[in-house]
Amino acid sequence: MSEGEFVILNLWNEGRAQLIERIDFYHSQAKKRILDQFRDIEAEAERYAEESYERRGQWFDPDTDDPASSAEAAWEDGIAHYGLLDDLRKQMILSIAAGMYHEWDKQLRDWLDRELGHNFSRDKLRPDLWKQDIGTLLEMLDWWGWDIKGQPFHEVIDSCRLIVNVYKHGHGTSLNQLKERYPQYLRSLGDPGSFGWDHVRYDQLEVSEDALSVFHEAFRSFWQYVPARTIAGDNTPVPSWFEKALTRKQPGKHA
């Protein structure tokens, strides 16, 4: 390092491995403990239909009732049960995606909080650090020599962020951005200019289990990409919120 330069961010190999291990654990255990329960919902729906048919048989009157109608009604019960299970499975996938994203988001903020605290007032910086949107934080890191937007994982993480926002908030800016950037996560969208394209709804959000693996790999790749040391100096730019946080007077303290 040249005179006046210092390490502003540092990531030890052990710390990197621990961060990745937590992401791996969340992904693998969520699949094992949650999604594996939905592996055979077709057979479960068939059993439900059979049980429905048996229940209907208790009140079956051969003089007035049609056996075919009972069988058809039981079959429809099975289809409805399958639909409910499939909807629940999709909701669980979205919940897991949200959990993975929030885990990564908190990991990043916690690491920045800890590392920046070595050179700056943590009490002053922390509140503003934790309330910035993730795009602002990543832009700051790019100012410090990173190239996050140039990495393959960036768009994947960005798509996951928008998916989580749509899942949480429904209609809004994130839905519009998801439609423009990553329409593959919106089912039955239609062709550009069609009615379906212009009137997309938040409940058209659809994420497959395979997409969870893509998100998981992107979060891993992020931490693998993080430089071991980020060097700063007198001329290193910082965002305005960063400067304001450090110069703001704290409550109860006088100059």
Side-chain angles (χ1 to χ4, degrees):
M1 290 187 294
S2 303
E3 185 177 353
E5 292 184 332
F6 61 96
V7 177
I8 195 171
L9 299 173
N10 188 48
L11 183 58
W12 299 99
N13 288 337
E14 182 178 350
R16 189 192 308 273
Q18 289 175 350
L19 290 166
I20 293 174
E21 183 179 1
R22 284 186 63 86
I23 291 173
D24 290 346
F25 178 85
Y26 190 100
H27 179 243
S28 64
Q29 291 301 309
K31 291 181 66 175
K32 177 180 179 181
R33 298 177 184 274
I34 299 175
L35 295 184
D36 280 357
Q37 298 182 60
F38 294 89
R39 297 297 179 217
D40 200 17
I41 60 176
E42 293 88 353
E44 187 172 341
E46 288 179 5
R47 288 194 298 272
Y48 188 87
E50 292 170 359
E51 292 168 0
S52 175
Y53 185 73
E54 292 176 0
R55 287 194 300 270
R56 293 173 185 278
Q58 297 175 9
W59 297 283
F60 182 78
D61 184 344
D63 294 328
T64 59
D65 295 334
D66 180 7
S69 296
S70 296
E72 183 178 356
W75 180 72
E76 290 176 350
D77 287 343
I79 292 177
H81 189 69
Y82 176 86
L84 290 172
L85 288 173
D86 192 48
D87 285 344
L88 181 59
R89 180 183 63 85
K90 291 174 181 176
Q91 289 296 314
M92 292 301 100
I93 290 174
L94 288 169
S95 295
I96 293 169
M100 281 200 299
Y101 177 81
H102 289 309
E103 173 68 18
W104 168 79
D105 181 272
K106 288 185 289 186
Q107 283 182 338
L108 176 58
R109 293 174 193 272
D110 188 61
W111 175 69
L112 289 173
D113 185 354
R114 185 171 58 253
E115 289 301 307
L116 293 173
H118 296 316
N119 293 290
F120 306 98
S121 171
R122 184 173 295 165
D123 290 340
K124 291 183 178 181
L125 195 58
R126 174 177 287 166
D128 290 71
L129 174 66
W130 281 85
K131 72 181 182 182
Q132 300 304 312
D133 66 69
I134 195 66
T136 300
L137 296 180
L138 296 181
E139 182 180 46
M140 177 182 71
L141 295 173
D142 277 346
W143 287 2
W144 294 351
W146 296 25
D147 181 27
I148 297 174
K149 291 183 179 179
Q151 306 308 311
F153 59 73
H154 175 262
E155 286 195 351
V156 178
I157 292 178
D158 186 52
S159 68
C160 187
R161 174 185 67 85
L162 293 174
I163 287 168
V164 171
N165 284 344
V166 173
Y167 175 56
K168 182 178 180 181
H169 301 294
H171 289 293
T173 302
S174 292
L175 178 60
N176 294 332
Q177 292 178 348
L178 187 69
K179 168 187 164 183
E180 293 172 3
R181 301 180 195 173
Y182 316 106
Q184 66 268 31
Y185 295 111
L186 294 164
R187 68 178 182 275
S188 302
L189 198 57
D191 297 325
S194 68
F195 179 86
W197 184 273
D198 294 335
H199 297 82
V200 63
R201 291 179 47 83
Y202 71 90
D203 53 7
Q204 290 174 267
L205 182 66
E206 189 164 278
V207 178
S208 68
E209 186 174 337
D210 288 341
L212 292 180
S213 298
V214 175
F215 299 152
H216 165 239
E217 187 58 37
F219 295 133
R220 295 184 93 258
S221 297
F222 174 87
W223 286 117
Q224 290 169 339
Y225 169 78
V226 172
R229 296 195 307 170
T230 301
I231 308 299
D234 294 337
N235 296 322
T236 298
V238 295
S240 58
W241 66 263
F242 195 106
E243 289 186 295
K244 290 177 181 178
L246 294 178
T247 56
R248 184 186 304 121
K249 291 182 179 179
Q250 293 179 274
K253 294 188 179 181
H254 302 282

